[in-house]
Amino acid sequence: MPKTLIAGNWKMNGSLAANERLWLELAAGLAAGGTGAAQAALCVPAVYLEQMQALMAQSGVALGAQDVSAQASGAYTGEVSAAMLQDFGVQYVIVGHSERRQYHGETDAVVAAKARAALDAGIVPIVCVGETLEQREAGETASVVGGQLAAVLAVLGADAARAVVAYEPVWAIGTGRTASPEQAQEVHASLRAQLAEAGAQDVPLLYGGSMNAANAASLLAQPDVNGGLIGGASLKAADFLKIIASAQ
Ligand code: PGA
């Protein structure tokens, strides 16, 4: 059985000193308890990739980034290419996080192009989809997340089978308000059906949005929840270790 992917999303947090402290605590916990049924990953700010690559070497925890340019190189001030991420041993990159869609105007087309650029460099894109509270209340959840996924599937074609998809309801991100296991499973089942139609039924489906040490086990127990994308709780070693241990 494939491992449960537990990916931390540090967002714009950390410092050289804080990262090292957090890592040493995580490493000590992992040395004691192992990762069991989980594949752990940390998606860190780009400037800390070099530091974390060195600290995490040989640990079995995968290194991830939080964004990637859709372009290969050139006059794109401030952007980081997939090849640059590859230089630092990056294995996963988050694309289409709702914070980037919201604050940076990333469209479905941009998200799809970023996923394509990542895969072309041998990096697994963690493609985020999710509805706002307004959209959920209007009964639009399935059409919104379905549309976001469809845009990516159309561009990736058969390569979609090498991606990871994260369902992150916008109303649950950083709010302490988590989707219930049943709500998560309902959306995951529809994403699974859509992936199956595209020949990518085995794509791991992560849940994200206020996943924490207390609720991880019940979310991860759902048949179509294959892991988690964890923001706030990934910044606390004890909590992240508990989520890793919740993977069965
Ligand atoms: P959260 O963030 O766990 O802090 O809600 C999840 C995410 O945005 O990836």
Side-chain angles (χ1 to χ4, degrees), residues 2-241:
K3 292 209 166 202
T4 303
L5 179 58
I6 302 295
N9 173 11
W10 285 3
K11 308 195 179 184
M12 196 172 72
N13 293 291
S15 66
L16 287 171
N19 300 346
E20 185 166 355
R21 268 198 309 276
L22 177 54
W23 172 253
L24 291 177
E25 266 188 74
L26 280 174
L30 293 175
T35 50
Q39 165 65 59
L42 293 176
C43 299
V44 309
V47 288
Y48 296 128
L49 287 171
E50 183 174 17
Q51 178 198 20
M52 296 312 298
Q53 182 187 29
L55 285 173
M56 290 160 58
Q58 320 297 332
S59 69
V61 177
L63 184 59
Q66 299 174 9
D67 184 31
V68 64
S69 176
Q71 314 297 332
S73 68
Y76 301 100
T77 302
E79 294 284 278
V80 174
S81 73
M84 292 172 185
L85 296 181
Q86 197 189 36
D87 262 350
F88 292 91
V90 166
Q91 290 172 263
Y92 295 95
V93 63
I94 299 169
V95 298
H97 191 280
S98 62
E99 288 152 14
R100 296 213 55 91
R101 293 181 190 258
Q102 185 181 348
Y103 306 132
H104 301 271
E106 290 190 10
T107 61
D108 287 344
V110 168
V111 174
K114 289 183 170 197
R116 172 87 265 162
L119 279 175
D120 288 348
I123 298 171
V124 176
I126 300 176
V127 179
C128 299
V129 298
E131 83 288 4
T132 63
L133 188 56
E134 231 180 0
Q135 291 165 330
R136 173 163 282 266
E137 285 172 348
E140 294 167 2
T141 300
S143 65
V144 169
V145 301
Q148 290 170 336
L149 181 59
V152 173
L153 292 175
V155 168
L156 296 188
D159 291 335
R162 294 192 282 129
V164 169
V165 171
Y167 168 54
E168 296 210 308
V170 178
W171 48 272
I173 294 177
T175 58
R177 195 177 156 190
T178 318
S180 68
E182 296 72 27
Q183 284 173 322
Q185 171 57 28
E186 186 185 1
V187 177
H188 282 227
S190 74
L191 292 171
R192 178 78 68 213
Q194 192 177 354
L195 287 163
E197 253 175 62
Q201 58 279 357
D202 295 330
V203 160
L205 286 171
L206 314 186
Y207 168 79
S210 298
M211 189 186 264
N212 58 39
N215 62 29
S218 58
L219 286 159
L220 294 171
Q222 299 303 308
D224 289 304
V225 178
N226 312 119
L229 182 56
I230 297 109
S234 73
L235 297 170
K236 297 177 207 133
D239 290 21
F240 196 58
L241 288 165

